[in-house]
Amino acid sequence: MGKFELSHRVVLAPLTRQRCLGYVPQPPMILYYSQRTSKGGFLIAEAAGVSDISQTSPEMPGIWTKEQVEGWKPIVDAVHAKGGIFFCQLIHWLTTQEIPLVVDDFRVAARNAIEAGFDGGEIHGAHGYLIDQFLKDEIIDRTDEYGGSRCRFALEVVDAAVKEIGGDKVGIRLSPFANYSESGDSNPETLGLYMAESLNEFKILYCHMVEPRMKSVFEKVDCLDSLIPMRKAFKGTFISAGGYGREDGNKAVAENRTDLVAYGRLFLANPDLPKRFELNAPLNKYDRSTFYTRDPVVGYTDYPFLETTI
């Protein structure tokens, strides 16, 4: 994957875990990410709000910049100590009338992610968040240039991040087929294909797309749509996510439909997921009721490793 040498194709997907206090990373996160790190493994951290680690938002004072960066450093160090490759997902959810300021927020966030020690940043352009709201024709009702060209905002954010830290350190997550928070599109394949082709101009490291079968949160449906056109169009590393297990993940790679497969709930419940996949070992079941609690241990760092279950 670009300059990175991976030992396997199992990616830790970015997951909202809500274990930060006041947007600042906490010590239990060191263990959580360290548990899920293998040498040569690729991890994507939960979204760090752009407004939380930039200095341009009046709602989030500039003190967050230092606290966020310093808070992430020991977590990143723990992942690197075990030979992992770690990207920070960058997200923005504040409303604003000044789009250039939001674009600049992403630029500053990308820079701060590198300062915190991350290997790169993943722009969150999926699941109904701000960038996705601009992309989808069933939600955007702007009549200015950002409504007439729905992909403009997303590509301006990518351009700003690439100019700040380099395309080899930038990825983006997209979900053209999803309808999270009523952010659907009437022609998702055309949207996804246009974005895949446009991203090539910026030579970013990877494109991380959510499978069409994941229409909404936790819902997996049968459908005929496919990411194959986007996979063929994008020239960098392609990551697929969305309800994968071991067998269909292997099949997707064998059929050249993706380079890497991102796992969320399975990686959450199985900190040694790559090893379990390698051995075709039984998997722990995840507990949905603990996904978004504040407990620093339960449902977070207490899922057992394989050797403790045999």
Side-chain angles (χ1 to χ4, degrees):
M1 185 178 71
K3 66 180 181 181
F4 302 106
E5 292 292 333
L6 307 185
S7 60
H8 54 76
R9 300 174 187 268
V10 180
V11 178
L12 173 64
L15 296 167
T16 301
R17 301 311 317 280
Q18 296 186 343
R19 264 61 177 193
C20 291
L21 296 179
Y23 299 99
V24 179
Q26 299 298 302
M29 297 170 65
I30 299 174
L31 177 59
Y32 173 79
Y33 282 105
S34 178
Q35 285 179 331
R36 286 153 184 82
T37 302
S38 55
K39 186 175 182 180
F42 182 38
L43 297 82
I44 307 170
E46 59 212 86
V50 166
S51 58
D52 305 338
I53 56 177
S54 73
Q55 302 182 60
T56 57
S57 168
E59 289 84 356
M60 295 294 175
I63 59 170
W64 291 119
T65 301
K66 181 179 180 180
E67 291 183 359
Q68 278 276 352
V69 170
E70 294 304 316
W72 275 111
K73 281 183 178 179
I75 304 170
V76 175
D77 289 345
V79 171
H80 284 163
K82 295 183 69 173
I85 298 151
F86 205 15
F87 269 50
C88 180
Q89 190 182 64
L90 309 174
I91 187 174
H92 206 308
W93 55 74
L94 294 179
T95 58
T96 181
Q97 296 178 347
E98 297 295 333
I99 290 178
L101 291 180
V102 180
V103 173
D104 194 62
D105 280 346
F106 275 100
R107 179 189 64 79
V108 174
R111 182 185 67 201
N112 286 343
I114 299 302
E115 184 179 340
F118 284 98
D119 296 299
E122 176 182 280
I123 297 166
H124 197 344
H127 295 166
Y129 290 99
L130 188 62
I131 291 176
D132 198 36
Q133 293 172 24
F134 274 77
L135 292 173
K136 303 296 183 60
D137 63 9
E138 292 181 9
I139 191 171
I140 188 170
D141 58 3
R142 303 179 71 100
T143 57
D144 59 11
E145 61 269 32
Y146 290 94
S149 178
R150 292 180 284 123
C151 296
R152 176 174 177 171
F153 175 53
L155 296 175
E156 284 185 356
V157 170
V158 171
D159 183 50
V162 167
K163 288 178 178 176
E164 183 67 26
I165 65 175
D168 61 333
K169 300 181 185 68
V170 174
I172 189 170
R173 194 180 212 209
L174 300 169
S175 58
F177 294 90
N179 190 11
Y180 285 43
S181 303
E182 299 181 341
S183 58
D185 192 82
S186 61
N187 196 340
E189 182 168 326
T190 298
L191 172 62
L193 186 58
Y194 181 85
M195 281 298 295
E197 292 172 340
S198 299
L199 289 169
N200 289 328
E201 175 186 347
F202 303 96
K203 296 181 173 58
I204 64 173
L205 182 63
Y206 69 82
C207 179
H208 182 181
M209 277 204 183
V210 179
E211 287 284 354
R213 61 193 179 191
M214 302 303 293
K215 301 292 185 184
S216 60
V217 181
F218 305 140
E219 180 185 3
K220 181 178 176 181
V221 299
D222 293 329
C223 67
L224 299 177
D225 296 313
S226 169
L227 295 181
I228 292 177
M230 300 76 164
R231 177 351 181 220
K232 290 182 177 179
F234 184 68
K235 296 180 181 178
T237 296
F238 196 84
I239 305 176
S240 296
Y244 274 100
R246 178 181 184 272
E247 298 306 321
D248 58 350
N250 280 334
K251 185 177 181 181
V253 171
E255 294 177 353
N256 199 31
R257 289 186 278 115
T258 194
D259 294 305
L260 307 172
V261 181
Y263 293 86
R265 286 163 284 177
L266 290 186
F267 220 147
L268 159 66
N270 298 272
D272 51 356
L273 186 65
K275 180 179 180 180
R276 289 177 187 255
F277 277 177
E278 182 182 11
L279 300 175
N280 197 17
L283 301 179
N284 299 324
K285 294 182 179 179
Y286 52 80
D287 181 359
R288 194 184 302 278
S289 68
T290 63
F291 280 5
Y292 306 119
T293 67
R294 293 288 188 180
D295 195 293
V297 176
V298 177
Y300 196 57
T301 58
D302 61 345
Y303 283 104
F305 284 77
L306 184 61
E307 55 265 25
T308 63
T309 62
I310 297 177

